Every structure is written in C-alpha cells, then in structure tokens.
Amino acid sequence: MVFENLVDSYHGSAEARKNIHVAQNLAGMAFSNALLGIVHSLAHKVGVTYGVTHGRCNAIMLPYVIEYNSVVTEKRFADIARALGLNGATNKQLTNSLVEAIKILNGQLGIPLSYQAAGVDEKIFLDTLDTMAEAACGDPCTLFNPRKTEFENMKKVLRCCYYGTDVNF
C-alpha cells in the first residue's frame, strides 16, 4: 500500500492519502506486536541530535539497515521485493532491488539519501558518532533487530548513513 500510494499522497491525492492512512495504521499495529530494530533505535537518537524529523531519519536509514540486516534476513527482504513486483533472480538481487526501490521512493519524496545530504554538519556528526552509537545500542529497539548489533557495527552503519555508502560488512 505504501509503494502504491505514498507518492500520490505526497502530491495531494485524497484517495492515496486515505490508503496511506490505512497503511500507517496497519504498520503501527504491526510495530506494537513485533517491535522494531536499529532503524528506529538510531532514529530516536539521530533525529534529536541533528534536528532531522523522525520519519525522515527512518527513511534515510532504511536502505542502509536493510543492507546491514540482509546478512541474516536476505530471504525475508527478497520476499518483500517479490511482493512489490521488483526484479531479481536471486535473493541477493531482489534485496538489492528493494534497497534501490526505497532510494528511488525517497528521491520522489524529496528525502535525501544520506545525513550529509540532509545538511548534518560533518564535524558535529564525527564529534557525536560514539555517543549516538552507544545510545542506540542501549535503545530497547536494538534488542529486536534481526542481526545482533554491537557498538562498532552501529558506528559503521551510522557512517554509511551519513556518507551514503553501501553497507558491506
């Protein structure tokens, strides 16, 4: 529902807005049952520190966290890509298609692909990187991330989100 309606909703379609309202309610119910992972634990810290709204933080981070988590959840991401009708012959190709589709969607919504592109000052980012990673590690959402995430990997994910580089660790 999100992929089919979000851009039209963004551009003012009343029908698409209604569908997004339903989709976000369904997502909220799912969140309350399944809890969340490091996209949210990072967004909780990054948004407040860098003045980026929570939704924008999540959108910027999502492709990078999918890449990070795909080490242990590639089949699930491939299933999502198949459900969206994305191209790919293998789970890896499908997961890559999902990441790319999210980046394209972000672009259609005017969401930058990195925190650097969102205007977060590099010195401030580097000065707060350890604090952000440590705080995110202690966030309850981190416990529910499919891939175990400790301090050093949290820092690496944040760096990828800041600079817009692929996650390959």
Side-chain angles (χ1 to χ4, degrees), residues 37-44 54 57-59 61-62 65-66 145:
I38 65 171
V39 169
H40 279 271
S41 56
L42 287 165
H44 292 153
H54 185 67
C57 282
N58 288 316
M61 265 187 259
L62 187 58
V65 173
I66 288 173
N145 196 65

Side-chain angles (χ1 to χ4, degrees), residues 43-122:
H44 292 153
K45 311 317 177 221
V46 169
V48 169
T49 302
Y50 304 138
V52 179
T53 63
H54 185 67
R56 185 171 282 238
C57 282
N58 288 316
I60 291 169
M61 265 187 259
L62 187 58
Y64 304 101
V65 173
I66 288 173
E67 287 176 333
Y68 174 74
N69 284 331
S70 70
V71 170
V72 298
T73 59
E74 190 171 78
K75 183 184 179 320
R76 288 196 288 181
F77 290 130
D79 289 343
I80 293 168
R82 279 187 203 92
L84 293 172
L86 301 177
N87 294 322
T90 66
N91 287 346
K92 178 71 171 163
Q93 290 170 343
L94 285 159
T95 299
N96 289 343
S97 290
L98 177 62
V99 167
E100 189 58 30
I102 293 167
K103 288 180 179 180
I104 290 168
L105 182 62
N106 282 349
Q108 292 172 323
L109 300 170
I111 297 170
L113 295 178
S114 69
Y115 287 113
Q116 188 174 43
V120 175
D121 180 83
E122 186 174 29

Side-chain angles (χ1 to χ4, degrees), residues 5 8-22:
N5 292 281
D8 289 341
S9 173
Y10 178 75
H11 291 294
S13 164
E15 182 67 20
R17 285 184 178 185
K18 181 181 91 174
N19 291 335
I20 287 298
H21 175 73
V22 171

